[in-house]
Amino acid sequence: MPIKILSEDVASQIAAGEVVERPASVVKELIENALDAGANEILVFCEGAGQKLIRVEDDGSGIPASEITLAVTRHATSKLSTAKELFQVETLGFRGEALASIGSVSQMTVTSRETKGVIGVSLRVEGGKTTRLDEVGSPHGTVIVVENLFYNVPARKKFLKTDLTERRHIDEVVTQYAIAYPNVRFTLNQEEKISLKTTGSGDRREILATIYGVDIARQMLEMIASEGDVDLSGLISPVSLTRSNRKAMQFYVNRRPVQDITLSTALLQGYRTLLMVGRYPYAHVFLEIPPDQVDVNVHPTKAEVRFRERDVIFSAVQRSVRKALLAYTPIPELRSQYRWGQFDETNGTRGSSPIGTDPQKSTDPVFSSQFRTDINEIEDVPQVQSLPGPRVPLLRLIGQIATAYLIAEGPDGLYLIDQHAAHERVLFEKFLANLSDPVPSQRLLEPVAVELTPANSRLLSDQLDVLRQIGFEVEIFGRNTYLVRTVPGLLSGMDPAAALRVVVEEFEEDETPLQGKKEQKIIARVCKRAAVKAGQVLSDQEQKALLRDLELTDSPRTCPHGRPTMIHLSVDLLERQFGRKGAR
Ligand code: ADP
Ligand code: MG
């Protein structure tokens, strides 16, 4: 084919594709415009997961009647005029692309009245063409209605996920801006239900409470710091409050929600050695930096930024997080944890020590010598042999140690069994074995009401059938509130609300798992919670029963999440270690 310049239509659809990926992108752009217009109140309505209708109303400065046609024209913006200003951007928008892009892939009506205007104007754009322009009576501010998104781009429609997922993306976008702008009143209404409402009181913790619940919001730690040109603030979770994924780690640069690997790595570095493997904090971290220190024009959706001095930003975040955690962590726990952290860091890069003690140079002789022994012991740990075959042989229980492990003797040496992991495995297989029959469930004496976040509530409401299959009878009780009537029999000892939350966390993890796999994953998660914990004293009978149950499982050697349930020290290994046999 010869080279041709693309027609206006094709070119604008290509451009629109970059900005408007899904309904949530429209919501994001319209909210940004409302915020740039100085709105105090922003109302967002969505129907059909945003594909049928998105309406965003604001009480901002409005668009002058004479400029409304320009507003929907590509590269038309009131926020930027010279290339130099591109490095001084203080507004959320600056590309002049959003309205043009949205208008080219939907039927859009922009109605606006300037603060000083006497009458409003309304402009309709269908598939990029202006079809109507009227004077109308309207309140001050702007209302943008986007109907039938992607009606003229069927290919794009195919890439959309389930309504559930698209609604969740919308929830996430509105939530992010609501947290970033706590002085603005936000209302999000999806499918005729309010899914987020903020008061504009300026209190971020209050907004976190509506999202994560009061309990979590109350525990979050305040972080405020300033390093050079960087001002940091935010709310981060204490080390005792974690979750299984990174979804509650959110960063804002000059109040723009961004995804950035530098920032998330720095945050996790701040928590280094204080969190268990696979656990992540809740964190909403705000960076204020001079606009010329950050390039926001990296990506059409402006979700990514580039820092001029990445290392400075990195260490500012890491240090501030660490400081906040140390300031709030009770001292005894902190000291021991932190020494181990230091020890860890001597193997790699050691930063400056926030608590000012270098364990190896410690003036405390007892501590420092003991510390060295620890290192030696760790280096000399014998290689543990793996178990032959999937089954375990019959074991003779010896007892429990450290209220965490069972010791047993088998035909070939010693077995150390992690009581928690072992119990998880046992519960998991009992659960699966029961799954084909109606699962025995236990009716609660009093149904328990559980309040969830709007996003999680939406996830749950579509999955009540799956829950019933595993023995949870749960019904919708009110806005974001559910009544738990029965729990799976195996969980009868557990707090029903906690059990339900665990399940919802699993839905959050995985949007569209295969049905069968989904059940298994939920069950694995539930078993993890229900299993006996390290630190729990088990009676002789309980220890014996656990061992016997474990022997009967199909895969006794790992917990449902794949971690080992046991360590085997063979007679051979013991003999070598005691010098009865030649060195290996
Ligand atoms: P950008 O935000 O990058 O300038 P947009 O296409 O999003 O580009 O908007 C184009 C212009 O329309 C904006 O520069 C602004 O002047 C005007 N505008 C858009 N939405 C609003 C709104 N809600 N209130 C006031 N003005 C608006
Ligand atoms: Mg904009």
Side-chain angles (χ1 to χ4, degrees), residues 33-34 36-37 58 61-63 71 76-79 93-100 142 144:
N33 282 346
D36 282 344
D58 69 58
S61 58
I63 306 173
T77 176
S78 58
K79 302 170 194 174
F94 56 87
R95 299 172 59 100
E97 275 191 328
L99 290 187
T142 304
I144 300 196

